[in-house]
Amino acid sequence: MKKSLLFLLACCSFGAMPIAHSADQVELRFAWWGGKARNQATLKALEAFEAKYPNIKVKAEYTGWDGFYSRLTTQINSNTEADVIQTNWNWLTLLSKTGDGFYDLNKLAKPIGLDQFSPESLASTTVNGKVNAIPVSANVMLFYYNAATWKKAGVDLPDSWEALLKAGPVFKEKLGDNYFPLILTEQDALLLLNSYVYQGNQKPMVDEKTRKLGWNHADLVEAFTFYRQLVEAHAVQDARTMASSGKGVPYEMKPWINGEWGGVYNWNVLYTAESQNLANPSDLVMGPYPMREGAKDAGQFHKTALMLSISKNTRHPEEAATLINFLMSEKEGVIPVALERGVPLSKSGEKILRDAGLLTDDDPVISGLLQSASLPNKSKALPYLEDPQFGALFSAALQSIDYGKATIDQAATEFEEQANRILRRIMR
């Protein structure tokens, strides 16, 4: 832990200053997305909050991931968003380009407990000097595998890109056509191919200075070619088939629950949700991070995992700040949620979980951060790779190749032209 969070955590004092509250009854709305485990844990924490602050009632507004962002933007445009909102890191470039999209938490430094967070972590949620959100946890993209499925296939967990490719035919031969070593959702495919190509060329996919793609045509061809190698080797299911599975999260789908999908490339913060849907949760284990021969950097995507923001339209900013501090840095709020939102970046939150025995260095969530810290990993995470339009365009390119509507070269040309138009629009 001490090593894994050095890039975000720094020593800071414990405990936020208490504030006085009005005796009048206050209702806060708190909106978040999550699976069953996160929802139940958060509701339990909210019960504890209301017990401690009986004059503050919290209306919980929780959904799954799909549709949350579009719903939020609709609410923001009509000034009907919740008081406290779970937000995603890349949304700051979309919803708060000048830093005015959310309440400036500098104004609530004491009640929200800003001193619990390192300057480095707060820098990731600050726009034009305005703190737009509390950084909840750190997030990295990792390989997690269902060890029971891999044992059934008789294959060791892959320690290289080549080993992953070689595992595909074995899965197909020994377990059947429905079994795959790895599955990739839309965003996962983009970030995996970004990592693979970056290991070879050391170039960011997006150039922030020119506001265009940083990759040239050959780089895109390499990315799409490697994707097709994975598909043709039966190492991953193609994007066309994955899209036909529906919009739900993969770890809630039957092939994952039944062990047919042998692994995921996803965020470490999702480990708990992914593992709990397996017959034996401990079967989900972290695999080695593959590196290309001669690679000087892993190109691994690492960022602030989740954030908590306060609406700029809230009528109860101090009460909203008190709720966030309770969830991040007070025992009654931290214990119920534990690692459901990842390893806390709050100094007090981390200490509370360690003292309670709920956070150890061998926990799969934190061991992923340790693995990331051990890799050569200095590439900058770019929020544009998580932009919905950019991601949808990338996924469409993969599907056009899968359907045979475009060659790899044609798909690369079309993606390059349209991606640059999107980037000019979202980066202006």
Side-chain angles (χ1 to χ4, degrees), residues 93-162:
T93 63
L94 302 170
L95 302 177
S96 190
K97 291 183 178 181
T98 62
D100 297 319
F102 299 99
Y103 202 97
D104 181 7
L105 303 185
N106 286 313
K107 300 176 181 179
L108 300 166
K110 289 185 178 180
I112 209 166
L114 282 190
D115 62 354
Q116 293 296 308
F117 301 88
S118 71
E120 292 83 0
S121 63
L122 289 176
S124 71
T125 63
T126 299
V127 182
N128 285 344
K130 300 173 183 178
V131 180
N132 273 213
I134 288 295
V136 175
S137 56
N139 222 359
V140 292
M141 291 292 288
L142 298 163
F143 291 85
Y144 286 105
Y145 299 106
N146 185 333
T149 299
W150 281 76
K151 183 177 181 180
K152 189 177 178 181
V155 184
D156 292 333
L157 298 183
D159 58 0
S160 67
W161 298 108
E162 293 75 16

Side-chain angles (χ1 to χ4, degrees), residues 185-187 190 239 243 390-400 402 415:
T185 64
E186 293 181 2
Q187 185 189 59
L190 189 155
F390 191 88
L393 180 64
F394 192 86
S395 180
L398 298 184
Q399 290 185 44
S400 71
D402 292 336
F415 176 81

